[in-house]
Amino acid sequence: MSSRSHGKGAGGGGGEGGGGGRGGWSAASAASVAASRCHLCPLPQSLNVPRGQPASTGGAPASDRALAASQNCECGCAWHRAQAGAKASEVAVAARGAPSTAIGGGGSKSHCTNKNATAAAAIFVCVCGLFQISTCTMYPHQILLAILAFISLSRVTNSEDVDAALRKQLKEVANLEMVQNASEIMNWRDLVLRSAIPYMRDCDEMFQAGHRESGLYIIRPDNARKLVVQCYMDGCNGWTVIQHNTHDTEITWSETWTTYKYGFGNLEADHWLGNEYISLITQQKWYKVRIRLVDADGNHKYAEYDSFVLQNEDNGYALKLGTYEGNAGDSLSNSRLKNMHDNMKFSCKNQDNDRSTLDNCANVHGGGWWYDNCFNAQLNRKGGLHWSTLCEENCRRSVIMLKPIHMYCTRV
Ligand SMILES: [Ca+2]
């Protein structure tokens, strides 16, 4: 965080310090030091230097310049200005920086420079620039603002209630309540410091932008608020996780339409991202879905469909799947099975969109799903993960995740 913050200040600080146009604190001090040592410089043998002409290019004799150099003075010092009638008050004003040109910069005023003082000033400015401390060229009110910003950022990074502070900073994120530890969000600094431009629309865009580590990320899908998602980075793509469930899950999955709409659970564990967000994500691009399953014996299997779309709420968040591929079997779109989930609307305990004329399947069997009459697969349940071609209500784990189709990437 500090490098960004300071990175922004580096340009301004360095630029002003280098030009000296605003005559900051350090420049004034340097000039004062330089002026105090100018008595070491030799008196001129020739006094015909025009007013305002820098001594280094003026008429100071070579012998004077050599003597000046031997005494660690760079040019003609104050005697040029004194000779030209300059007043000491002008030097003082110049030192404060108000109307002056650069201190020691060869302008018409205050070109008196002692090498040591100039070097010290240069080192000071360089160090400030190196560490990007823009106070070098700040006025008091700017320094105060910088201190307040530093305190604010320090509180975010160093205080014991870092999570509470972060949540306050991240209040515009729609589903932050699904995150237990906000500091676990990989890119929270980007949002706090307003430096992520633009926000990525899914985990794959995060991956393509250089984020190689799996974890929580803030994204902003088209037409959606910012939201946190679990990203699985496989070394070639970024997968956006929309569901995670385990046999021993702590959540009931028996939720209302609104709860399913905006998501629930813990994004770092079992959760449903939310039908509205899933729908908005899948309308951005052409996505495929991968359903990873762990069967009752601990075997890892998967089912993929080369197209995955969740229609909008007006269409009941209906599921639209492409062609199956995998080793877990097709339990969602196989027309030879009793129930077909492809093309079905979403149902939950207070919204019956299934094809059972007798019941609301969600009430009978648990959580929300794209029920037919009623299911061949149901992964949104507590203690009964079912995939008829792999497990009979005893799968140990399921993960559903999306990634856009890439024609250039062969590794999956
Ligand atoms: Ca029904």
Side-chain angles (χ1 to χ4, degrees):
M1 178 179 66
S2 59
S3 62
R4 288 184 180 277
S5 175
H6 293 161
K8 190 174 182 179
E16 290 179 2
R22 298 183 68 171
W25 178 86
S26 62
S29 299
S32 176
V33 171
S36 69
R37 293 188 177 180
C38 281
H39 69 277
L40 295 173
C41 294
L43 291 173
Q45 294 181 9
S46 172
L47 301 178
N48 60 352
V49 179
R51 177 185 175 93
Q53 182 174 352
S56 57
T57 58
S63 58
D64 286 357
R65 293 200 294 272
L67 183 57
S70 70
Q71 295 189 2
N72 211 26
C73 284
E74 194 165 41
C75 54
C77 293
W79 49 263
H80 279 292
R81 296 190 54 72
Q83 171 58 28
K87 298 179 181 177
S89 59
E90 291 180 340
V91 177
V93 170
R96 287 196 298 270
S100 174
T101 56
I103 301 300
S108 61
K109 298 179 182 178
S110 189
H111 54 264
C112 166
T113 53
N114 177 278
K115 284 182 179 177
N116 289 340
T118 303
I123 290 171
F124 183 85
V125 171
C126 289
V127 168
C128 287
L130 181 63
F131 290 97
Q132 300 161 356
I133 303 170
S134 56
T135 52
C136 298
T137 56
M138 285 182 174
Y139 287 115
H141 72 280
Q142 292 174 304
I143 296 173
L144 179 61
L145 288 174
I147 292 172
L148 291 175
F150 178 79
I151 292 173
S152 175
L153 294 175
S154 296
R155 289 180 62 189
V156 170
T157 55
N158 300 325
S159 66
E160 294 180 356
D161 59 343
V162 61
D163 189 70
L166 253 184
R167 287 180 186 279
K168 191 174 181 180
Q169 298 274 342
L170 300 174
K171 60 185 178 183
E172 58 193 287
V173 177
N175 60 344
L176 200 59
E177 75 282 357
M178 293 174 65
V179 178
Q180 286 195 326
N181 185 354
S183 64
E184 294 294 321
I185 300 173
M186 310 288 281
N187 62 336
W188 66 264
R189 293 171 180 82
D190 293 342
L191 190 142
V192 170
L193 299 178
R194 312 277 179 187
S195 56
I197 303 172
Y199 280 88
M200 303 307 167
R201 298 181 296 166
D202 58 28
C203 291
D204 192 60
E205 291 189 7
M206 279 290 175
F207 181 88
Q208 303 304 334
H211 298 277
R212 296 292 188 261
E213 190 175 349
S214 298
L216 299 181
Y217 287 88
I218 297 169
I219 64 170
R220 185 166 59 189
D222 290 342
N223 304 311
R225 294 173 60 189
K226 300 182 183 74
L227 68 151
V228 187
V229 293
Q230 178 72 244
C231 292
Y232 170 64
M233 309 302 194
D234 67 1
C236 183
N237 299 106
W239 294 82
T240 304
V241 177
I242 63 171
Q243 188 261 21
H244 186 283
N245 195 10
T246 52
H247 183 77
D248 300 324
T249 183
E250 295 181 350
I251 57 181
T252 68
W253 291 91
S254 181
E255 301 290 350
T256 65
W257 183 264
T258 301
T259 304
Y260 267 99
K261 179 177 180 178
Y262 296 112
F264 58 93
N266 177 1
L267 282 166
E268 296 171 272
D270 297 332
H271 70 275
W272 181 252
L273 183 60
N275 286 334
E276 184 66 18
Y277 305 133
I278 298 170
S279 177
L280 290 172
I281 289 172
T282 62
Q283 291 170 36
Q284 298 179 132
K285 312 171 188 175
W286 178 12
Y287 285 86
K288 68 185 297 184
V289 62
R290 175 181 290 180
I291 301 165
R292 299 173 60 181
L293 297 164
V294 179
D295 68 17
D297 298 322
N299 300 310
H300 290 250
K301 305 286 185 177
Y302 75 96
E304 285 189 2
Y305 297 86
D306 65 4
S307 178
F308 178 93
V309 174
L310 206 59
Q311 294 192 319
N312 61 23
E313 186 174 20
D314 291 341
N315 290 295
Y317 296 123
L319 179 65
K320 301 289 182 181
L321 293 174
T323 302
Y324 164 82
E325 188 274 329
N327 57 13
D330 176 12
S331 293
L332 293 181
S333 65
N334 190 337
S335 60
R336 289 174 294 183
L337 298 178
K338 180 181 177 182
N339 294 290
M340 175 76 80
H341 298 290
D342 188 16
N343 293 310
M344 291 305 303
K345 292 182 178 179
F346 198 85
S347 294
C348 61
K349 67 180 185 181
N350 65 340
Q351 184 78 38
D352 183 355
N353 291 323
D354 62 44
R355 292 203 293 189
S356 169
T357 56
L358 299 177
D359 297 303
N360 176 356
C361 293
N363 275 340
V364 176
H365 298 288
W369 194 249
W370 301 277
Y371 288 105
D372 187 2
N373 183 24
C374 281
F375 62 87
N376 292 320
Q378 218 301 36
L379 302 176
N380 288 355
R381 303 175 72 194
K382 181 178 177 65
L385 278 69
H386 182 73
W387 193 266
S388 64
T389 54
L390 180 68
C391 56
E392 294 293 330
E393 303 192 3
N394 58 357
C395 271
R396 295 183 182 180
R397 182 174 180 234
S398 70
V399 182
I400 305 176
M401 51 193 189
L402 312 175
K403 86 170 183 70
I405 300 293
H406 288 306
M407 302 305 293
Y408 54 84
C409 192
T410 57
R411 180 179 171 186
V412 295

